[in-house]
Every structure is written in C-alpha cells, then in structure tokens.
Amino acid sequence: MVQLAEERERLLPTTDEETHPVSNGLTNEAHSHDSKVAKVKQCIAKNGITAFAATLVAVGIVVFGVVVLTNKKAPETADLCMTPTCVHAAASILDSLSTNDEVKPCDNFEEFVCGSWKSQHDLRADQREMNEMSLIDERSTAILRHVLEGEYMVSDQSIVSLSASSSTASLDKANFNKLRDGYSACMDEDLIAKRGLEPVLELVNELKGIYPLAESSKAKGKPKKPEGTTQGLTDAIAYLQELGLAGFIDFGISADDKDPDTPVLSLQGPRRIGLRSKEEYKDDKVVEKYTSTISAMFKIIARKQGLDISTEALSEGIVALEKELSKISMDEEDANDPLHYYNPRTLAEVKALSPVIDVEAIIKRFSPNYIPSRLIVTSPEYIEKVNVIIQETPRDVVQAYFIWKLVYALSNKVDQGSVTPIVELKDMLQGTKAQPERWRTCVRTMDQDLGWILGRFFIEKAFSEEAKAFGDRIIYDIKDQFSETLGKLDWFDSEAAKLAIKKVHNIVQKIGYPDQSPNITSPVSLHEYYAGVTILADAFFENTLSVIKTFNRKAWEKLSKPIDRAEWDMTPPTVNAYYNPPGNEIVFPAGIMQFPIFSLDVPEYISYGAFAAVAGHELSHAFDSTGRHYDINGNLTDWWPQTTVDEFEKRAQCFVEQYSEFTIETPSGEKIHVNGKLTLGENIADAGGLNAAFSAWKKRDAQNHNPELPGMKGRLTKEQLFFVSYGRTWCSKIRKEAAVDRVRTDPHSPAWVRVLGTTANAPAFLEAFNCPVKKPRCELW
Ligand SMILES: [Zn+2]
C-alpha cells in the first residue's frame, strides 16, 4: 500500500487495518514552577466521593435545568465556579478517583486518578481497549451516526455559506447524499451476506490471471507451465498495490526529509507481513492458529471454485515464507528512526538491489512521467534479500501468498459469516469476543472513505470559532513556554538554542479542520476532492475499491507536484493529534478538542492539564529522538554541536532505562517489558508536554486567578487538579492480548505507564503532591 514513511508522530496509536485509506489520499495501515503548594491532602474522604459525586451530578442536573428554563447564567463567584459545566467536570473527576484510602497519589497516581473509573467501565465484547479518549470518540461517533441516519439539514450554525448561490447549496446536498449512500451500502447487511465471498473471489480470479500456475495458452496442446517465480511477479505486485496492498514490497510518497518541499518515493517492506509483529511469528500457539486459519480459508475458496488443492501444504508454505520475510524486516524502532530508514538510492542502484521485482515498471505504471532522481530505500538489506527469497520459493506458494494477502486484507469488506476463520483469528489475537455493531463499523468506514465530507457535518455540531481561538491561545502559550525552557538549559549549546527557539516559533499549528486541500467549508472543494470516487447505495465492496483506487492514483500524482503543506492527515472527528517533522507542523483535529479534555467553560487548569499537555506532547516531538534531527525548515540534518548531542543522548538513555522497567502480563501470566527504545520519542514528548503545560498554566493563573471547582475544597488543590486532569486522560482498560500486541508494535507506552512515568519525572507534580523524588528522575525539556 502507498503509505507515509513512519514519520507522523501521533498522540495515540491508530487502528491499522491493512486497507485503510485516509481521505487525503495516502493510505496508512496515531512538561518548574513557583506555586504556593498546599500540603497534600492525603486523607481525602475518598469513600465518600462516589456518593458525593452522584449528588453533584444530581445538583448539576438541577442547575442545568434551572439554566435551561430561566436562560440565566448559573452563579459564579470569583473563587468558585458553579456553572453546569463546572459541576459536571467536578462530578466526573470525583467519580473517577479511587475510593480506596490506601491508594496514595505518590505511590500509584494512575490508580489514585483512575481507580473508580476502571471499576465503572467495562470493555464491550468487540472492544480490545478503551480509555477516556475513546469515550470522547464514542460521543463523536453518536453525533456522526445521527448525521448519517438523519435528513440533510442546513444548521443555523453552518460553517458553509450557502446563501451565495443555489449551485453551492445543491452541491452541499449532493455531497451529503454521497455520504448517505456510502453509509446505506455499508449498512445493507442482507445484500452483503447474499454476495458472500464473491466480490473478493472475483479479484482472486483476476490475480490468478496475472500470476497463473499454468498458462492458459491459446496455442494447442498442453498449457505451458510458467518457469520459476518471476514471470508475472511484478504485475501481480502492482495489481495488489493498486488495491492498497503490499505484496513483498511497498511504496511511500511523502516529503523528502532532506528537501521537505519536494515529494520523494520510498521503497520499503510491507508494514505488516501478515501477523503483526516478529514476535508473533515465534509464538507457536499463534503460528498454529494462523496456519489453520489460512488453510480453512483456502478450503472455502477451493470449494467455491471447484479446485482440488492441498490447503495444508499451501498454508504451511505461506507461513514459512512469511517467517522468512519477518526475519529480514526492519525492527520497529529502526522503522521509526530516520537515521535508519533514510537511505537514498538512484534508480540504477535500486535495479541492482532488486533484480527480480521490476521497481521501475511499477513506478511507470502508476506515474508514467515521473523519473525519480532517487528513491528512499528504508531497508536496502530487506529489498536485496526479498529478491532472493522469492526465487527460492515455489510458484504455487507465491501465488497463494498473493491470494492470502488479498483475502485477509479485504475480509472486513465482505460478509463476516463468509470469513469466520479470519474473524476467529482476530478475536484470538486481540482478545475480543464479538464483532462491533454494524453502525459502528459503518460510521468508521465513512470517516475513512469520505472523512472530509463527514467532517464538514461534524464541525457544525461539535466545534466553534471560540474553541479554535482558545486552542490557538493554548498552543501559543506552550510555544512561549517551550522557548523559555530551551533558553535556560545549561547543557544545550546557546547558538543551537537560538535556532531551536526559532524552530518552535516556526511550527505551524493547524486546529479543528482544514480550509484548504480540501476546504471543508466549501461544497465545491469537497465535491471536486471526491469527484473520482463512485459511491452507490447498493455496492459496498465496489465503493471501497473506488475509494482505494482513486486515492492510490492521487497519491502517485503527488510525485509530480511540490508538497502541499495545507493537507491534513487526520479527519476533523478524529480523537488524536500529530506532529509532522518535515512539515514542522502540529495538528489538532476538532475531535480531540472536546470535554473533558478541552472546554471553554471550566477553569483553565482542566484544559491545560489535558489538552495543553497534548499540545505540549506534539510540540515536544519536534525535539524528541526523531524530531531533533529536523532543522527549523523541516530538513533532516545535524544542526546540534556534538557536545549537545552527547548530553541529549545521556538524558534520553535515562528514559530508555526507566521505561524498560515497566512490565505487562501476557494472557499466560508471563511478564514482558515495555520497549524503552521503541517508546523513547513518545516518552520524551509526554514528559516535555506536561512540564510545558504546567508552567504555561501557572502563568495564566497568575494573570487571571482561576476559580475552584465545587466539592474540591480541602480535597484537591488547583495544582493537584491540573495533574488529575492529565492523569484522567489516560484512564484505560485493555485486554491482555491487545496489550501484548501494543508493547510489540506501538511506539507509545501503555496508557497507565504514560501516567506513572510522566508524573514521576515532573518536578511540579512531585511538589504539588509533596512526593519524594524516586530515582531515576529523567528530564529533557
Ligand atoms: Zn506522540
């Protein structure tokens, strides 16, 4: 699949289904202070909290009722905020805290903040994990469902100016209809069931025509058997590529790290071979289940196509091949490190590396006029070795591998009853026990397929200009704070610090939604953006293919134009955020700027503890183990003197060791360690983000005294509430199977570790709760 090089630093991991077009056209398989610290209230009457919180909720309802009925503002004194939103915020915080007096904030802050949250929330059978952010996502999903299942309406708050012309109004409606047709097609489970596996089998047949076992020769006599594995190989890989799938190799199109206004093509191995991690290929139980799944699916295919094949031998052949591919694939931490993956090669060099797969022919097919001066080969070793492996593999196994890629990746786009073995495999790997309700799948599908149109309707219901302005202000505060910190560090070279401060102020901040590429407030822009996509109300599978093929084509077309810096990688409803090193930009979709992480109507320590820490996290990525390599213009270059690099490395190593000490438990009771190297960038970003957010808030509080929340007097100070707001962002539940998968593949630490590690390193936290310093205490920014 065409995908970005691994350079988007997200706040959260993304769910990566193999075929997962992001609507911008690229496919992708997600912190010292000076406070007057009150003594820690270690004897908070926590047992009383739940009942008290319930009372507050009740009070909130009453207060809210009064406000609605009388349309008057609730009382607010300088020191105590009693608005409905404040009452709501206070109740939800108190409702989340542990009720166990034995749990002390200095000993286990995550349990202190999330104790009751965890006892009050359970995973649905179809969920592998949930957290406070997924509760926000849940509310957004409900809003989107109402949009998709309702009638087209022009809101009074519309972000689209429709009065200008009637053609604009009719385009807006046409865009909505496209969305609704797509949703209807996805929801038509009867039709999807009736078609069964057929849509995928049609593709399987096409693929077999491209990469046959025996040539269907028009000449008389016996069909000729193609020799070896190379005949038709490149065409088969290109065929999969057009469907957003990576067979043996993959391509990425993104800004050149050393020339960020120019696009560059990268050549890489598949992001996921089949199973999700190298470790899974070494796990006998997983391999056994995976092999039997492949075998069962081939049995189903053979029965439908009247074939007589040995499915056991084929499935074992595929798994043996995938094991070999897994061995030569990059380690996760190297795949995230530009110093490892940035390997420019000329086309001639690539040809020498890849004698069997004709890379040039694939480029010519998708981008006929593009002549690359160089490609970025993320792992030359992989490309070289995969060419050897292909030649050593029997042709029927290579064909079966291609077919399996297709079937496995598109299995979520057909009737689930026709792919039961795959559904069972996924349940085993993630610990889930059921499929999500269909409407959930379909809302998500619309976000993936037509996300900018969906975003236009989401914004209208869940975002405002005031929210955008407040978000902007918070980010400017974080930038100022970060710059101040950089100027004060005794280990950071003073000349480099000047450049670093310039880099901070150069960071582009994108908030809420895009107004270019496409402009979601313009029906014309949206209409043009999706012009190539055909959506019919009775063709779910074909709709998906149309989206994938259109955006695959658009992605390749980008090679002949300068990088469009206006594009976004996340749709407006997305509950996530990212930093993009070559673009030197931080991006916050409206989806994450929601209560309780972000609100205009609560004291600022709540939004600074949560949202500003997120903003600080993204900004810190500009100076983490990856981002630090990019200069003020987004160029990958060495711009720090060696002494500063050495000091940075020393401090970074502290984080590596600290986080490697955390362990999680596998379903069989084994302990595995967090990968301190893989999670380094994210852990640095968490630490820097929280420190910057706290200092930024303290300045605001000094200028404009924030009121208290009801019920907090004698329980939690404002400083403590700042950290509670932070910690609550990461209250979470996860199945053991999914946790193992995350530790192996996700550059983020587990959510509970993000709370414990980050607060243990934050001087302001230790002061706010009067905690002793535990060694090691790691600090960079
Ligand atoms: Zn991040």
Side-chain angles (χ1 to χ4, degrees):
M1 83 194 91
V2 180
Q3 66 173 25
L4 284 171
E6 289 300 297
E7 61 187 14
R8 295 292 191 271
E9 307 291 346
R10 292 160 198 273
L11 176 72
L12 292 165
T14 46
T15 51
D16 50 354
E17 293 165 18
E18 179 125 21
T19 299
H20 183 167
V22 181
S23 306
N24 76 348
L26 296 161
T27 57
N28 219 346
E29 289 185 82
H31 315 255
S32 66
H33 82 127
D34 59 352
S35 63
K36 284 180 279 156
V37 178
K39 273 263 179 219
V40 164
K41 306 286 184 288
Q42 296 206 340
C43 299
I44 293 169
K46 285 186 235 139
N47 289 331
I49 282 174
T50 305
F52 180 72
T55 313
L56 271 179
V57 172
V59 170
I61 291 165
V62 172
V63 173
F64 186 70
V66 169
V67 174
V68 170
L69 290 174
T70 62
N71 199 24
K72 274 186 200 157
K73 243 192 154 195
E76 182 176 357
T77 67
D79 292 328
L80 183 65
C81 177
M82 283 297 291
T83 63
T85 314
C86 282
V87 174
H88 182 189
S92 75
I93 286 171
L94 294 170
D95 212 21
S96 170
L97 301 177
S98 170
T99 54
N100 180 354
D101 282 347
E102 303 296 312
V103 178
K104 309 292 185 202
C106 299
D107 299 337
N108 188 341
F109 190 59
E110 193 267 347
E111 183 63 24
F112 177 81
V113 176
C114 304
S116 294
W117 189 98
K118 288 186 279 189
S119 64
Q120 290 163 10
H121 292 93
D122 273 323
L123 293 166
R124 294 192 311 267
D126 63 289
Q127 282 181 305
R128 55 188 189 180
E129 61 189 308
M130 71 179 300
N131 50 46
E132 190 60 33
M133 302 236 198
S134 44
L135 296 180
I136 296 174
D137 187 56
E138 184 76 13
R139 289 191 289 274
S140 299
T141 303
I143 292 172
L144 297 176
R145 181 189 190 186
H146 297 156
V147 167
L148 290 161
E149 294 183 359
E151 291 298 316
Y152 170 75
M153 271 196 298
V154 180
S155 150
D156 295 343
Q157 312 290 319
S158 184
I159 57 167
V160 178
S161 165
L162 296 175
S163 53
S165 82
S166 63
S167 67
T168 311
S170 67
L171 272 186
D172 195 48
K173 184 144 195 242
N175 291 339
F176 177 80
N177 288 341
K178 198 167 206 167
L179 198 57
R180 209 180 41 188
D181 284 351
Y183 185 72
S184 301
C186 180
M187 288 296 289
D188 193 347
E189 287 184 279
D190 289 343
L191 182 60
I192 292 169
K194 216 166 109 192
R195 297 183 72 191
L197 201 54
E198 235 13 82
V200 172
L201 292 181
E202 282 173 25
L203 301 183
V204 169
N205 284 337
E206 282 180 11
L207 182 61
K208 280 180 171 175
I210 295 166
Y211 194 82
L213 294 185
E215 215 166 74
S216 51
S217 168
K218 286 182 192 112
K220 282 177 197 161
K222 244 177 123 187
K224 202 172 77 202
K225 253 190 142 182
E227 295 286 323
T229 48
T230 55
Q231 194 181 324
L233 179 81
T234 299
D235 286 343
I237 292 172
Y239 177 80
L240 291 176
Q241 189 75 47
E242 195 179 4
L243 296 172
L245 303 172
F248 293 119
I249 58 164
D250 200 1
F251 293 90
I253 295 156
S254 57
D256 188 333
D257 286 327
K258 297 209 171 179
D259 182 11
D261 281 312
T262 306
V264 72
L265 185 63
S266 55
L267 176 63
Q268 55 214 28
R271 171 122 175 78
R272 304 277 175 237
I273 303 286
L275 288 172
R276 290 171 46 83
S277 62
K278 290 184 172 213
E279 289 87 347
E280 282 187 340
Y281 283 103
K282 295 175 195 153
D283 183 330
D284 291 343
K285 213 174 121 208
V286 169
V287 169
E288 193 187 320
K289 176 74 179 171
Y290 186 54
T291 313
S292 68
T293 301
I294 299 174
S295 180
M297 281 311 303
F298 272 91
K299 270 199 184 84
I300 293 171
I301 295 169
R303 203 165 51 234
K304 288 197 180 292
Q305 298 193 324
L307 301 174
D308 180 22
I309 49 173
S310 166
T311 59
E312 276 79 15
L314 275 185
S315 60
E316 277 164 22
I318 292 171
V319 175
L321 170 61
E322 289 190 0
K323 275 187 177 176
E324 292 303 308
L325 298 180
S326 150
K327 279 184 210 155
I328 62 168
S329 295
M330 287 178 102
D331 288 335
E332 290 284 346
E333 51 259 46
D334 294 343
N336 287 303
D337 180 355
L339 299 189
H340 272 95
Y341 69 67
Y342 193 84
N343 306 300
R345 297 287 187 273
T346 63
L347 197 52
E349 287 168 332
V350 169
K351 278 183 183 171
L353 271 178
S354 179
V356 176
I357 304 171
D358 187 346
V359 174
E360 189 180 16
I362 300 175
I363 298 172
K364 281 230 147 38
R365 171 164 166 169
F366 292 114
S367 204
N369 301 319
Y370 176 70
I371 300 161
S373 58
R374 60 179 180 173
L375 287 90
I376 305 305
V377 182
T378 58
S379 168
E381 190 193 348
Y382 174 87
I383 299 299
E384 199 172 5
K385 288 186 175 166
V386 77
N387 276 270
V388 177
I389 291 174
I390 291 168
Q391 285 170 294
E392 289 169 350
T393 308
R395 189 170 176 93
D396 60 340
V397 173
V398 171
Q399 190 201 56
Y401 163 77
F402 285 145
I403 292 172
W404 170 241
K405 279 250 118 180
L406 199 61
V407 173
Y408 193 32
L410 293 171
S411 61
N412 58 350
K413 302 294 179 190
V414 294
D415 169 43
Q416 294 300 282
S418 302
V419 292
T420 311
I422 293 179
V423 172
E424 287 173 0
L425 170 72
K426 287 182 177 170
D427 280 348
M428 178 200 155
L429 293 177
Q430 298 295 339
T432 47
K433 292 168 182 70
Q435 292 291 296
E437 294 163 277
R438 188 67 190 171
W439 66 268
R440 292 181 191 278
T441 302
C442 293
V443 170
R444 192 162 293 282
T445 301
M446 286 306 100
D447 186 41
Q448 288 165 0
D449 289 359
L450 300 169
W452 303 116
I453 302 180
L454 190 61
R456 168 249 181 278
F457 291 96
F458 176 74
I459 291 297
E460 220 157 80
K461 300 197 182 301
F463 201 60
S464 65
E465 283 307 307
E466 293 76 23
K468 197 171 194 303
F470 185 42
D472 257 323
R473 189 253 256 180
I474 288 180
I475 293 163
Y476 282 122
D477 282 0
I478 294 285
K479 283 183 170 177
D480 288 344
Q481 187 53 49
F482 212 88
S483 303
E484 197 182 310
T485 303
L486 284 166
K488 283 191 203 156
L489 297 171
D490 55 5
W491 58 270
F492 204 94
D493 176 76
S494 59
E495 286 306 308
K498 280 183 203 153
L499 287 173
I501 291 167
K502 216 168 162 188
K503 178 174 176 179
V504 169
H505 291 294
N506 263 8
I507 292 176
V508 174
Q509 54 204 62
K510 293 179 175 172
I511 296 175
Y513 56 87
D515 54 12
Q516 288 179 64
S517 304
N519 173 4
I520 71 160
T521 71
S522 159
V524 179
S525 176
L526 287 173
H527 183 76
E528 284 170 0
Y529 188 84
Y530 290 109
V533 176
T534 305
I535 300 290
L536 300 171
D538 57 357
F540 175 56
F541 191 81
E542 288 72 14
N543 292 347
T544 299
L545 290 193
S546 177
V547 170
I548 294 170
K549 287 184 178 180
T550 302
F551 287 105
N552 183 62
R553 199 178 60 239
K554 281 185 174 222
W556 284 91
E557 282 168 4
K558 288 180 184 177
L559 280 170
S560 47
K561 294 174 248 180
I563 287 291
D564 181 355
R565 289 190 179 237
E567 279 186 344
W568 286 47
D569 276 352
M570 284 178 187
T571 62
T574 309
V575 189
N576 209 334
Y578 67 89
Y579 171 70
N580 164 25
N584 198 26
E585 59 179 6
I586 45 180
V587 185
F588 305 89
I592 197 168
M593 300 175 71
Q594 305 291 327
F595 184 87
I597 286 179
F598 176 94
S599 170
L600 292 155
D601 303 323
V602 293
E604 291 185 347
Y605 44 84
I606 300 297
S607 296
Y608 275 71
F611 180 74
V614 167
H617 171 104
E618 299 309 336
L619 194 140
S620 299
H621 273 312
F623 299 94
D624 72 8
S625 43
T626 302
R628 74 168 186 85
H629 296 293
Y630 295 80
D631 70 7
I632 57 169
N633 297 314
N635 279 308
L636 181 64
T637 179
D638 286 331
W639 57 288
W640 292 3
Q642 193 55 42
T643 47
T644 301
V645 171
D646 292 344
E647 291 293 327
F648 177 91
E649 296 290 353
K650 198 165 77 190
R651 286 164 176 77
Q653 187 57 29
C654 175
F655 283 94
V656 172
E657 286 164 20
Q658 182 190 30
Y659 280 81
S660 297
E661 288 297 311
F662 290 104
T663 57
I664 61 154
E665 204 178 88
T666 68
S668 57
E670 219 181 306
K671 291 218 179 318
I672 56 172
H673 287 263
V674 168
N675 183 341
K677 256 179 103 179
L678 174 62
T679 57
L680 176 62
E682 294 298 332
N683 298 333
I684 291 174
D686 276 347
L690 189 60
N691 286 341
F694 186 81
S695 302
W697 166 65
K698 282 306 282 184
K699 284 191 184 136
R700 285 285 168 190
D701 189 51
Q703 283 166 11
N704 197 355
H705 181 63
N706 287 180
E708 307 266 354
L709 281 175
M712 297 299 174
K713 220 170 188 56
R715 293 170 193 270
L716 290 165
T717 65
K718 290 191 283 186
E719 286 75 14
Q720 291 171 340
L721 277 166
F722 170 95
F723 289 104
V724 168
S725 180
Y726 170 77
R728 193 171 52 143
T729 313
W730 303 109
C731 291
S732 65
K733 279 208 162 172
I734 185 162
R735 294 185 196 279
K736 285 184 176 175
E737 293 85 348
V740 171
D741 175 55
R742 285 259 181 262
V743 163
R744 286 169 175 168
T745 61
D746 185 359
H748 303 85
S749 292
W752 60 273
V753 173
R754 296 182 79 165
V755 179
L756 293 183
T758 308
T759 51
N761 287 331
F765 169 82
L766 303 175
E767 192 176 336
F769 285 93
N770 201 18
C771 299
V773 177
K774 287 183 200 154
K775 299 277 178 191
R777 198 183 73 75
C778 308
E779 188 168 28
L780 263 160
W781 314 116

